[in-house]
């Protein structure tokens, strides 16, 4: 069984600039994706697209349409 040696804070290697940029980029992408999902869910809940596409008309039983304003 291999046992890993525990490092003290003084023995730890610091992250390079490229590693820091990579971690920051990944965190940014995750954050933007989360904001996009939340915004999409809010828009889906707040907007009823069926009414927006209806444009004020209603279908009659014979297949013709009439508007609410006539």
């Amino acid at each position: 069984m291999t046992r890993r040696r525990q490092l003290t804070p003084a023995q730890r290697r610091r992250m390079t600039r490229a590693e820091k940029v990579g971690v920051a980029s990944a965190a940014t992408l995750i954050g933007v994706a989360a904001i996009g999902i939340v915004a999409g869910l809010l828009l889906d809940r707040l907007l009823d697209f069926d009414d927006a596409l209806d444009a004020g008309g209603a279908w009659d039983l014979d297949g013709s349409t009439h508007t609410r304003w006539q």
Side-chain angles (χ1 to χ4, degrees):
M1 182 162 94
T2 305
R3 190 170 172 134
R4 285 184 59 173
R5 194 177 100 201
Q6 288 195 351
L7 297 176
T8 63
Q11 293 173 325
R12 276 193 207 144
R13 182 180 65 85
R14 292 186 178 264
M15 288 176 53
T16 63
R17 180 178 292 181
E19 290 170 336
K20 289 178 186 176
V21 168
V23 170
S25 297
T28 301
L29 286 175
I30 291 170
V32 168
I35 290 171
I37 290 170
V38 170
L41 288 173
L42 285 174
L43 283 174
D44 184 50
R45 297 286 183 199
L46 293 174
L47 296 177
D48 188 7
F49 289 107
D50 292 337
D51 288 343
L53 297 174
D54 188 20
W59 287 98
D60 288 333
L61 293 176
D62 62 354
S64 63
T65 61
H66 72 278
T67 64
R68 295 183 194 124
W69 309 110
Q70 287 180 344

